[in-house]
């Protein structure tokens, strides 16, 4: 157990629907990162939050949004889902804002299947 | 832009064979370099890292040396085990925020 908790583990939904993925960071970590892993695109950085504030944005679609709450858990909202959004979505956390510089801790992911 | 290129898999080896997985990078400045491992059905785990040129990262028998002159960070292990079967990702971090840039991953399969 890495200490980063993601729910649900699996999600199957229809095109056009909206889903919410949840992430609880490791205790003491203030930064949360979201990544998308797909066969064609590999691992792509979506967005980073630090202590409730958005800090960095990657290749995140306008249909996707995220937030980090005062208790530091984060949610990734995916709307108007398309077949191509089917992927593994990973959350990671780190203590500081520059977590990538020393490596961060990943959760086990949420597998989203859009049918 | 910044990028990471890994050798394509899958790589299939017999137990106790020598492993090399090649990784080269393109980056401005002086990135930190990482190897992450993903076991089936699990998230990524940090395997090792190096933060400056000529640093050697090591863990669980795996090693990688940060070579600035060849912009490489090849992963090596002297004797692989069946339990090393996984997907290995090379990654870099620049000095610009929390983003990690990953290679495409290399699947390793070790047969008894």
């Amino acid at each position: 157990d890495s200490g980063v908790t993601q729910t649900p583990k699996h999600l199957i939904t229809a095109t056009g629907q909206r889903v919410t993925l949840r992430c609880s960071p490791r205790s003491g970590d203030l930064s949360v990162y979201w990544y998308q892993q797909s066969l064609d695109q590999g691992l792509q950085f979506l967005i980073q939050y630090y202590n409730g504030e958005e800090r960095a944005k990657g290749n995140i679609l306008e249909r996707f949004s995220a937030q980090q709450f005062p208790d530091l858990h984060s949610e990734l909202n995916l709307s108007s889902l398309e077949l191509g959004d089917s992927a593994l979505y990973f959350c990671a956390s780190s203590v500081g804002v520059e977590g990538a510089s020393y490596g961060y801790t990943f959760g086990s992911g949420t597998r989203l299947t859009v049918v | 832009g910044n990028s990471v290129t890994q050798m394509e898999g899958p790589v299939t080896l017999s137990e106790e064979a020598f492993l090399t997985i090649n990784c080269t990078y393109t980056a401005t400045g002086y990135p930190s370099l990482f190897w992450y491992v993903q076991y089936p059905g699990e998230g990524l785990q940090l395997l090792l890292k190096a933060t400056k040129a000529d640093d050697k990262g090591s863990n669980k028998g795996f090693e990688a040396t940060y070579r600035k002159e060849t912009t490489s960070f090849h992963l090596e292990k002297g004797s692989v085990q069946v339990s090393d079967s996984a997907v290995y990702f090379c990654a870099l971090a620049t000095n610009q925020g929390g983003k990690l840039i990953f290679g495409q991953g290399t699947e390793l399969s070790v047969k008894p």
Side-chain angles (χ1 to χ4, degrees):
Chain A
D1 182 8
S2 68
V4 178
T5 304
Q6 289 189 248
T7 56
K9 290 196 181 307
H10 303 276
L11 200 47
I12 301 174
T13 190
T15 54
Q17 294 299 303
R18 181 180 188 274
V19 297
T20 297
L21 312 184
R22 183 188 169 102
C23 170
S24 293
R26 201 177 51 165
S27 177
D29 286 357
L30 299 178
S31 268
V32 169
Y33 312 81
W34 287 97
Y35 282 80
Q36 180 193 58
Q37 185 180 34
S38 61
L39 281 176
D40 53 345
Q41 298 285 331
L43 268 160
Q44 297 286 317
F45 170 74
L46 296 178
I47 199 163
Q48 176 197 2
Y49 279 83
Y50 176 76
N51 205 20
E53 305 263 335
E54 182 184 304
R55 287 303 299 250
K57 217 167 191 176
N59 301 323
I60 188 166
L61 300 171
E62 284 192 13
R63 301 183 284 109
F64 296 2
S65 65
Q67 55 184 325
Q68 186 180 26
F69 295 86
D71 68 351
L72 301 177
H73 91 271
S74 178
E75 292 180 357
L76 179 67
N77 300 297
L78 315 176
S79 61
S80 303
L81 285 167
E82 302 174 359
L83 295 178
D85 297 328
S86 296
L88 257 174
Y89 291 84
F90 286 108
C91 168
S93 71
S94 69
V95 173
V97 66
E98 299 284 339
S101 298
Y102 46 89
Y104 34 65
T105 304
F106 280 84
S108 56
T110 293
R111 181 172 293 282
L112 173 67
T113 303
V114 182
V115 297
Chain B
N2 301 317
S3 66
V4 176
T5 302
Q6 288 180 237
M7 62 185 284
E8 287 193 20
V11 173
T12 302
L13 295 174
S14 297
E15 208 164 20
E16 299 184 2
F18 184 85
L19 168 72
T20 300
I21 300 178
N22 290 338
C23 170
T24 57
Y25 68 90
T26 301
T28 53
Y30 302 94
S32 296
L33 300 174
F34 304 84
W35 279 99
Y36 280 82
V37 58
Q38 184 178 27
Y39 297 102
E42 297 184 14
L44 283 78
Q45 301 174 25
L46 178 62
L47 181 59
L48 54 84
K49 66 182 180 186
T51 57
K52 61 183 188 297
D54 299 325
D55 264 3
K56 178 186 280 189
S58 61
N59 186 26
K60 299 181 182 179
F62 291 90
E63 292 183 341
T65 301
Y66 188 146
R67 301 282 188 206
K68 189 162 175 59
E69 64 276 13
T70 54
T71 62
S72 65
F73 193 55
H74 304 322
L75 183 68
E76 296 181 338
K77 187 175 185 184
S79 175
V80 292
Q81 306 300 312
V82 172
S83 57
D84 294 326
S85 298
V87 181
Y88 292 81
F89 291 91
C90 185
L92 71 81
T94 67
N95 296 327
Q96 299 162 1
K99 174 182 171 181
L100 274 173
I101 297 167
F102 286 91
Q104 285 295 102
T106 302
E107 183 181 357
L108 170 67
S109 178
V110 181
K111 306 296 185 188

